[in-house]
Amino acid sequence: MSAPELPAVFGNYVLGDTFHEVVSPPDISWLPQTVGWAWLGAALAVLLLYRAWRWWRHWYANRYRREAIARVRALQAAHDTGNWLGELNRLLKLSALAGYPRREVAALTGDSWVRFLNAQCPEPAFTGRHAQLLARGPYRPQAPAEADREGLLRASLHWLETHRGPADA
């Protein structure tokens, strides 16, 4: 089936030959018409790429934090009362070694280790009993109380989440 044939005169038949149908102008282009818009678009694209690169660099540099937090949470979920304090200390040491120069971290033990950890946070994570447990606990044969364990694990998570490292620069 084909469309019907259109008449030679198309438009309003009442007005006759003196009135013709209005023709629409061509569509307006959405592309920028001046060089300034192209420069602005290029500058915004560069800025967006720079911000994405900075975000990715920050995310990649903090992968040690995410791994350590996952391991501390697994340690928190496991109710193994064996050498969890030694394992926690080892996780904190590995995280500090990943985030700070080896010469600053590797030889630290006891109270100097706890002072170093507290110095890296805006507010000290390990205070009072938790600081004593972290400094001397791995060398004691008896396991601390459950409340001390939970408090120390929370303080360790707080330190891992809030310490300032090279990725924060």
Side-chain angles (χ1 to χ4, degrees):
M1 185 166 183
S2 66
E5 211 51 51
L6 291 176
V9 176
F10 189 71
N12 192 335
Y13 300 110
V14 177
L15 294 175
D17 291 339
T18 60
F19 185 78
H20 297 286
E21 196 69 33
V22 176
V23 178
S24 299
D27 292 337
I28 298 173
S29 172
W30 282 88
L31 293 176
Q33 300 296 315
T34 60
V35 148
W37 287 109
W39 282 103
L40 180 64
L44 286 175
V46 167
L47 179 67
L48 183 65
L49 285 173
Y50 173 73
R51 296 287 292 187
W53 175 73
R54 290 274 310 228
W55 175 85
W56 180 84
R57 192 176 69 159
H58 179 77
W59 178 84
Y60 188 75
N62 279 306
R63 69 191 181 279
Y64 75 94
R65 286 182 200 245
R66 291 186 299 277
E67 177 68 23
I69 288 170
R71 287 186 182 189
V72 169
R73 290 208 170 126
L75 191 63
Q76 194 173 21
H79 293 289
D80 178 23
T81 58
N83 191 18
W84 70 269
L85 196 51
E87 180 65 20
L88 179 67
N89 221 341
R90 188 179 74 81
L91 285 172
L92 290 173
K93 183 73 85 156
L94 286 173
S95 298
L97 284 170
Y100 300 97
R102 185 173 208 80
R103 68 185 182 293
E104 291 180 20
V105 177
L108 295 175
T109 59
D111 291 329
S112 61
W113 169 237
V114 175
R115 277 195 303 276
F116 171 81
L117 291 175
N118 283 334
Q120 307 313 316
C121 281
E123 58 187 42
F126 304 100
T127 56
R129 177 92 174 118
H130 299 141
Q132 289 175 355
L133 278 174
L134 193 61
R136 295 177 192 86
Y139 311 109
R140 292 188 179 166
Q142 75 275 11
E146 186 66 26
D148 289 336
R149 173 189 161 113
E150 288 302 315
L152 189 56
L153 288 170
R154 275 195 310 275
S156 299
L157 285 172
H158 175 70
W159 184 83
L160 288 168
E161 293 167 350
T162 62
H163 76 272
R164 294 179 302 266
D168 303 324

